[in-house]
Amino acid sequence: MNRTIYLSDLTHTTITISNDSFPLNVGMVGAYCKQFYPDLNMKLFKYPEKLISKINQNMPNLLGLSNYPWNHNLNISIAKYVKSINKNVVIVFGGPYISYDNNQQELFMTRYEGLVDFYCMFEGETSFKSLLDNAHQASFDISQMKKAPLEGCLFLSEDGNLAPFTPITRSRSVDDYPSPYTAGLFDEFFDGKLSPMLETHRGCPYACTFCHEGHEFYRKVSKFDNQRIKNDLDYIGERVGSKVGNLMIADPNFGQFKSDIEFAEHINEVYDRYNYPSTIFASSAKNNQDNLLNISKILKNTAMPLWMSVQSMTEDVLENIKRKNISVDAMLSVQENMRDATQGTQSEVIMCLPGETFESHVESICKLMDAGMDKIITYQLMLLDGTEMKLDESKLNQY
């Protein structure tokens, strides 16, 4: 029997589109699973109104929802709506917004029992493929699916307790995961509203306690083949049109590799053909300013403000958040050269980090102003599920 699966990376669409990127996460999952189930009736969603309309026309056998702080409540509302119509639909959450602590995971799954049947952890391509295999074997029967171990997935067993977690390992090569662009899965999202998003590498070598990628699972950095990335950008340039000029790069440290310089040269070639991209939004490499300077010099018509995100300039605070190995001095030492080579430099700081005081926070901002930063953005610290800081929340009382 041909099963129907909807995979969604939802955003609020009220006054504006709050998260206006292509649904790269579920697109990667979908493209990988299509390799094994080519006849799978699968559809991707970004806008909740389109998802609801499609649900009303044709209820899926399985609904997948990417879970982040900005769309968690929206996901729960959609899950409630679906289950109120058909409680047999398999609902799967995935994404970083969940604790790594077993007790907290059990509380989450218990709180949403009957709404969230399974939660895919870590690399979603692998964990969701494991769940999909199981779903086919169990004819998409939720109770039957829970009778076997599910690699990389959380779920409540028949006794109401969290089932023992079967871990997954990182992929040896991220190129095992095909591109959703060249697979044709993203064609409908070239709607003149959403910004295309690319991933040139995956993983982060740093252990920042406020970030979900500080977990050891993500410590290994895996790079996508450079020709694949170029092919994706060519595909985007041919279809993006004139209304969207931004390209988002999802890497935690873009510019980390020499190949990123080669990619910058290809960006120029694509711009010459399609007048795209005019701007790039990317989180810059933390400790490779030379590469960033070279990229900035290479880009001719594309603006890429360099993000030198210090979070704090206070030594004790940097140590508290395990960011000591990121050289703030090295960032600032080439500030003038970087500013001259680009259309601006930007930095971020976070208020209320462990050990930070009002005085030290203001001092950090003043140092960045003295360094000539064009733009300084201040964020309020958020204790997010899936981060070490949230896991060790009780330790914050000592500061």
Side-chain angles (χ1 to χ4, degrees):
M1 182 184 296
N2 194 16
R3 303 290 182 169
T4 298
I5 291 178
Y6 298 160
L7 299 179
S8 307
D9 176 41
L10 298 180
T11 178
H12 290 277
T13 54
T14 50
I15 298 175
T16 185
I17 301 172
S18 63
N19 178 8
D20 63 349
S21 66
F22 274 45
L24 181 63
N25 41 23
V26 293
M28 293 289 292
V29 171
Y32 182 62
C33 291
K34 268 287 192 179
Q35 290 187 126
F36 303 94
Y37 298 95
D39 296 328
L40 188 66
N41 182 18
M42 182 184 68
K43 187 166 176 56
L44 307 180
F45 294 88
K46 184 71 181 183
Y47 303 121
E49 56 270 23
K50 286 192 174 183
L51 173 59
I52 293 171
S53 176
K54 192 65 177 178
I55 287 170
N56 290 337
Q57 295 172 21
N58 182 27
M59 185 67 69
N61 300 100
L62 184 150
L63 172 63
L65 297 156
S66 66
N67 191 46
Y68 294 88
W70 53 81
N71 67 0
H72 172 75
N73 290 337
L74 178 57
N75 289 336
I76 294 298
S77 296
I78 296 290
K80 287 180 179 178
Y81 179 70
V82 170
K83 289 290 190 178
S84 70
I85 301 172
N86 187 344
K87 61 182 177 58
N88 295 319
V89 175
V90 182
I91 293 186
V92 183
F93 273 35
Y97 193 47
I98 189 170
S99 177
Y100 295 120
D101 176 74
N102 286 342
N103 292 330
Q104 292 300 315
Q105 290 170 348
E106 185 168 82
L107 287 173
F108 180 97
M109 297 302 293
T110 301
R111 178 181 181 184
Y112 298 116
E113 186 175 9
L115 294 178
V116 182
D117 300 307
F118 302 94
Y119 203 110
C120 290
M121 299 289 291
F122 303 112
E123 276 188 320
E125 295 94 342
T126 304
S127 55
F128 186 79
K129 165 61 168 51
S130 168
L131 184 139
L132 194 56
D133 289 341
N134 179 285
H136 278 90
Q137 293 167 9
S139 299
F140 285 74
D141 182 282
I142 296 171
S143 60
Q144 291 299 316
M145 290 173 65
K146 292 185 175 184
K147 291 183 178 180
L150 271 171
E151 190 179 45
C153 297
L154 302 174
F155 62 94
L156 296 179
S157 56
E158 291 182 344
D159 61 7
N161 297 319
L162 191 69
F165 183 71
T166 304
I168 60 172
T169 57
R170 284 283 301 275
S171 59
R172 291 186 178 182
S173 172
V174 286
D175 285 313
D176 291 339
Y177 305 138
S179 165
Y181 286 101
T182 54
L185 297 183
F186 279 169
D187 287 357
E188 70 174 281
F189 298 109
F190 290 100
D191 62 358
K193 300 176 183 178
L194 299 177
S195 295
M197 178 182 282
L198 287 177
E199 192 178 22
T200 72
H201 73 266
R202 184 178 293 185
C204 182
Y206 307 113
C208 304
T209 61
F210 56 83
C211 177
H212 81 273
E213 285 193 292
H215 191 275
E216 61 182 359
F217 182 87
Y218 301 102
R219 205 64 47 81
K220 171 189 170 187
V221 178
S222 302
K223 189 185 176 306
F224 287 91
D225 179 74
N226 220 36
Q227 189 57 50
R228 168 209 172 111
I229 303 165
K230 291 178 181 179
N231 291 343
D232 277 355
L233 187 57
D234 291 340
Y235 192 95
I236 292 168
E238 291 175 7
R239 292 163 176 79
V240 70
S242 59
K243 292 184 179 180
V244 173
N246 191 35
L247 171 67
M248 295 184 176
I249 298 180
D251 310 353
N253 296 284
F254 179 67
Q256 180 175 350
F257 298 102
K258 288 292 184 183
S259 57
D260 293 336
I261 299 175
E262 182 184 340
F263 181 56
E265 293 171 345
H266 190 69
I267 291 173
N268 286 337
E269 296 174 15
V270 171
Y271 186 90
D272 289 341
R273 296 199 300 269
Y274 306 111
N275 291 320
Y276 175 87
S278 57
T279 58
I280 292 176
F281 181 88
S283 180
S284 307
K286 310 298 186 294
N287 279 343
N288 205 328
Q289 278 67 46
D290 289 341
N291 275 4
L292 293 176
L293 183 56
N294 286 330
I295 291 171
S296 298
K297 289 178 178 178
I298 288 170
L299 293 175
K300 296 177 181 178
N301 300 295
T302 302
M304 191 186 81
L306 296 179
W307 288 84
M308 290 179 281
S309 301
V310 296
Q311 313 309 355
S312 175
M313 301 282 281
T314 308
E315 290 295 316
D316 291 345
V317 174
L318 294 175
E319 188 169 346
N320 291 339
I321 61 175
K322 296 186 179 180
R323 203 175 168 87
K324 191 73 171 177
N325 58 340
I326 297 175
S327 176
V328 173
D329 291 337
M331 266 191 218
L332 300 182
S333 66
V334 292
Q335 154 66 13
E336 279 303 316
N337 288 331
M338 286 183 158
R339 189 157 62 93
D340 293 340
T342 69
Q343 295 191 21
T345 51
Q346 305 184 33
S347 190
E348 297 173 322
V349 289
I350 300 177
M351 292 190 295
C352 304
L353 288 169
E356 195 80 88
T357 65
F358 173 78
E359 290 76 17
S360 64
H361 176 70
V362 171
E363 185 177 353
S364 292
I365 294 175
C366 290
K367 287 180 180 179
L368 292 171
M369 293 173 66
D370 291 340
M373 288 289 170
D374 293 300
K375 188 175 183 180
I376 303 168
I377 300 175
T378 300
Y379 295 104
Q380 171 67 50
L381 175 66
M382 296 176 67
L383 298 179
L384 300 175
D385 286 329
T387 65
E388 180 181 338
M389 191 176 292
K390 172 65 174 178
L391 198 60
D392 294 337
E393 185 176 354
S394 60
K395 296 181 181 179
L396 297 176
N397 294 329
Q398 64 184 288
Y399 298 108

